[in-house]
């Protein structure tokens, strides 16, 4: 049967307590005195990305262990930039993004730090520095994304402006052609009016001649009748 979560936690706690009690004896070849020193933090407790003890260790499918927040941010960043999601440790592509919680390791780290209170100050300061750096990095990424978005919007505005300028130029050309056609129509209308006036004047002269001829014809007719 698979070990329960509680048994894994108990095993991890005993592991951490045992690691906290490990020490080394160092001696000076020129001196008879020997010194006892506690061993440094086990390397397996340290996240390779943050270089600090892990609070929520998880394992990727390739067997590497990281702090959950760091590896999740790594995966999210690669996905947002459409890059292959690779392992930070091996640079090999991860076939799956599944993360496995390591309860025993988490309990071991908690127990280790509980038995090494002298490390808490330096770890807290280091973690605060890491968190500040992470916040600055996130802020920088957000500003870069905003900058890219602004550049895209500016590019769209430029394209729209070019389209509007082209449409305005077409409208101005159409308006110019319409004005020329209107001027030509007005000139043609004036020319027709002038011809009409001239025709009316000629018709008036012709009418006067016709009337004069009619009078002459009447006079001749009267003279002929008188001669008969």
């Amino acid at each position: 049967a698979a070990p329960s979560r509680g048994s894994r936690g108990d095993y991890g706690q005993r592991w951490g307590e045992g690691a906290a009690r490990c020490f080394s004896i160092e001696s000076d070849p020129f001196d008879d005195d020997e010194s006892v020193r506690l061993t440094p933090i086990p390397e397996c407790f340290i996240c390779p990305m943050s270089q600090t003890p892990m609070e929520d260790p998880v394992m990727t499918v390739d067997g590497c262990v990281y702090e959950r927040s760091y590896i999740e941010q790594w995966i999210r960043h690669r996905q947002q930039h459409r890059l292959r999601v690779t392992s930070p440790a091996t640079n090999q592509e991860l076939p799956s993004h599944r993360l496995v919680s390591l309860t025993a390791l988490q309990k071991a780290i908690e127990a280790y730090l509980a038995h090494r209170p002298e490390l808490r100050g330096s770890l807290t300061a280091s973690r605060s520095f890491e968190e500040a750096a992470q916040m600055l990095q996130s802020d920088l990424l957000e500003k870069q994304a905003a900058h890219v978005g602004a550049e895209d919007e500016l590019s769209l505005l430029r394209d729209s402006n070019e389209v509007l300028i082209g449409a305005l130029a077409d409208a101005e050309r159409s308006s110019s052609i319409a004005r020329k056609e209107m001027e030509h129509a007005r000139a043609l209308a004036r020319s027709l009016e002038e011809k009409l006036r001239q025709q009316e004047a000629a018709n008036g002269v012709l009418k006067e001649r016709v009337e004069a001829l009619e009078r002459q014809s009447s006079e001749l007719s009267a003279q002929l009748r008188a001669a008969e």
Side-chain angles (χ1 to χ4, degrees), residues 42-117:
E43 187 176 349
C44 61
F45 291 0
I46 304 295
C47 172
M49 299 181 71
S50 67
Q51 294 300 312
T52 58
M54 293 176 283
E55 294 182 349
D56 186 7
V58 293
M59 182 176 64
T60 53
V61 293
D62 61 348
C64 296
V65 180
Y66 308 94
E67 177 66 47
R68 180 185 293 276
S69 60
Y70 279 82
I71 189 61
E72 285 181 345
Q73 183 182 7
W74 169 270
I75 294 173
R76 186 166 53 251
H77 175 74
R78 304 286 293 185
Q79 290 175 331
Q80 288 175 350
H81 290 77
R82 298 181 179 179
L83 300 173
R84 293 186 307 114
V85 178
T86 57
S87 169
T90 65
N91 202 33
Q92 298 298 315
E93 185 171 3
L94 294 174
S96 171
H97 304 158
R98 182 170 177 266
L99 301 176
V100 179
S101 297
L102 301 178
T103 304
L105 180 58
Q106 181 182 14
K107 294 299 183 182
I109 296 172
E110 291 175 354
Y112 180 87
L113 294 178
H115 287 76
R116 294 289 301 273

